[in-house]
Amino acid sequence: MSKIIEKEYISRYLKGDIDALGQLVEQTQRPLYSFIIKMTEGRGDADEIFQEVWTRAIRNLQRFKTGNFMGWLFRIAHNCIIDSYRMQKKNISLQDPGTDEIELEQQLSSPTIKPDDEAADHDLGEKIQSAVQTLPDSQREVFLMRTEADLPFKEIARIQKTSVNTVLGRMHYAVERLRTELHDEWKQYSGEVSS
Amino acid sequence: MKKEIFERYCLLDQSGELSRWGKWRLERYLASSESAQKQKAGLQHILDAASQESSIEPSTFVKEQIMREARRHSPSAREHRLRGPGWLFQPAVSIPLAIAALLMIAVFSIHQLRRPSTLSTTSTSVTADELLAWDSEFDEEVNEMLATVYAAEIERFPVGSDTSLWPEDDLPTEKLAEELLTWENQS
């Protein structure tokens, strides 16, 4: 959805047109909900988080002046997911890349993640999504924000409160892991680059 | 170009964030290397496949809850809450209400203006000695009443008696009412 349309919907809602907000929810729900589902690993609280994101957004919509609305929504979602993790007393930090390896081990041993099962139909999109589930949180978040919401790296860096360089590094590691996971498919489309 | 640097250039190019200088460098490198072209195409293909729009949606219930929240927090609803009910501001209602309020204020003000004069005459007509006499009379009356109450209490519950303080509690309601009436007549 273009920025002009987003602004139009927001302006109409702020003038009292409730349906405009409904349109805004409809237009943004798929990338946002998909991001939340993939970040919460199918824990079952995606609906709750999605609702919380919109509740916070509605209450603060008057303060939203300019910028990337999708980025703003994803920033709220990022905070809601962290709150949800804290509530569940899960020791996962989206800010600290040092814990990535531990997180990865935890996730690989998690019974909720079954990449092999999910990729049974050999569909590339699903294979990618299954592989994405094995990524550490910080890398997964960068990858999903980039692919689901088409957020620029600058915006992602702002959400993760880190530098663009770190975000690019996380994306690079995520791609590397995908390359390993999707070895055959990757080979089909590309060759190797000399270093 | 190093593999990592090359990939970063590709990623930034794909997001539209690569500088003009970076773009020029990347294009030059791609033109010189066929494997780099394949690599970029492979990366693009994977990212495109990952970007396919998801078909999953939140439940209808959640969407309804969001719309409810939207209605509750819409600026017009907030304004409405602050302004109060609309019918109150209709001229047919608001003008008579305003007149009634003005009349009430006028009546109250007149009443307030008259009151201080009455008070001042009363206060000047009573001397300090008279006030003292009234006070001591009042005190005596109160003391008398208290003495009567104490005497009745001591009669009912003599010192050293181990009976229940309120034996009436055990009586049925009708009996208790009868007793109370008798006690009232006696006193």
Side-chain angles (χ1 to χ4, degrees), chain A residues 24 28-29 32 35 53-54 57 64 68-78 159:
Chain A
L24 205 56
T28 55
Q29 65 178 355
L32 181 64
F35 169 74
V53 170
W54 272 105
F64 178 78
N68 189 333
F69 180 70
M70 197 63 128
W72 187 62
L73 271 186
F74 270 70
R75 196 181 311 169
I76 300 173
H78 165 89
I159 294 169

Side-chain angles (χ1 to χ4, degrees), chain A residues 13 62 153 165 172 179 191, chain B residues 7-8 17 35 39 70 78:
Chain A
Y13 172 67
Q62 275 180 317
F153 288 106
N165 220 25
H172 170 74
R179 192 176 279 139
Chain B
E7 200 165 272
R8 283 183 186 212
E17 293 171 281
S35 83
Q39 184 71 19
R78 213 175 297 161

Side-chain angles (χ1 to χ4, degrees), chain B:
Chain B
M1 193 185 282
K2 277 191 175 179
K3 190 178 166 184
E4 194 182 333
I5 303 283
F6 168 70
E7 200 165 272
R8 283 183 186 212
Y9 271 63
C10 290
L11 290 169
L12 284 170
D13 188 41
Q14 194 239 0
S15 71
E17 293 171 281
L18 192 62
S19 65
R20 266 170 63 184
W21 183 82
K23 242 182 170 44
W24 175 80
R25 233 188 124 191
L26 180 67
E27 276 167 15
R28 236 184 104 193
Y29 182 66
L30 284 169
S32 68
S33 165
E34 201 181 321
S35 83
Q37 287 171 22
K38 281 184 183 172
Q39 184 71 19
K40 190 174 187 282
L43 178 69
Q44 190 62 52
H45 184 81
I46 297 292
L47 291 176
D48 286 347
S51 305
Q52 278 170 8
E53 200 177 65
S54 161
S55 58
I56 39 172
E57 285 183 11
S59 68
T60 318
F61 174 76
V62 168
K63 285 192 228 172
E64 281 169 5
Q65 292 292 313
I66 292 167
M67 291 314 288
R68 225 162 106 187
E69 195 71 18
R71 266 186 287 276
R72 201 185 307 157
H73 285 90
S74 81
S76 57
R78 213 175 297 161
E79 211 172 285
H80 183 78
R81 275 199 300 272
L82 287 171
R83 277 192 2 224
W87 57 265
L88 203 62
F89 296 94
Q90 294 291 319
V93 181
S94 59
I95 294 169
L97 272 176
I99 293 168
L102 282 170
L103 276 171
M104 279 174 73
I105 293 166
V107 169
F108 183 73
S109 307
I110 292 163
H111 181 71
Q112 286 292 313
L113 282 169
R114 283 186 178 172
R115 236 175 115 190
S117 59
T118 328
L119 279 171
S120 63
T121 47
T122 317
S123 59
T124 46
S125 64
V126 178
T127 61
D129 290 340
E130 276 174 328
L131 274 171
L132 277 171
W134 284 354
D135 279 349
S136 59
E137 265 176 40
F138 179 71
D139 284 346
E140 271 173 32
E141 273 177 25
V142 168
N143 287 336
E144 241 177 65
M145 276 164 70
L146 284 172
T148 319
V149 170
Y150 288 149
E153 286 291 308
I154 289 162
E155 200 181 324
R156 277 166 64 81
F157 308 109
V159 181
S161 79
D162 53 356
T163 54
S164 165
L165 268 178
W166 305 102
E168 294 88 342
D169 285 351
D170 302 328
L171 293 172
T173 318
E174 284 171 13
K175 186 91 177 152
L176 180 66
E178 265 175 38
E179 286 231 356
L180 280 168
L181 278 170
T182 322
W183 181 78
E184 213 170 83
N185 290 335
Q186 280 171 0
S187 61

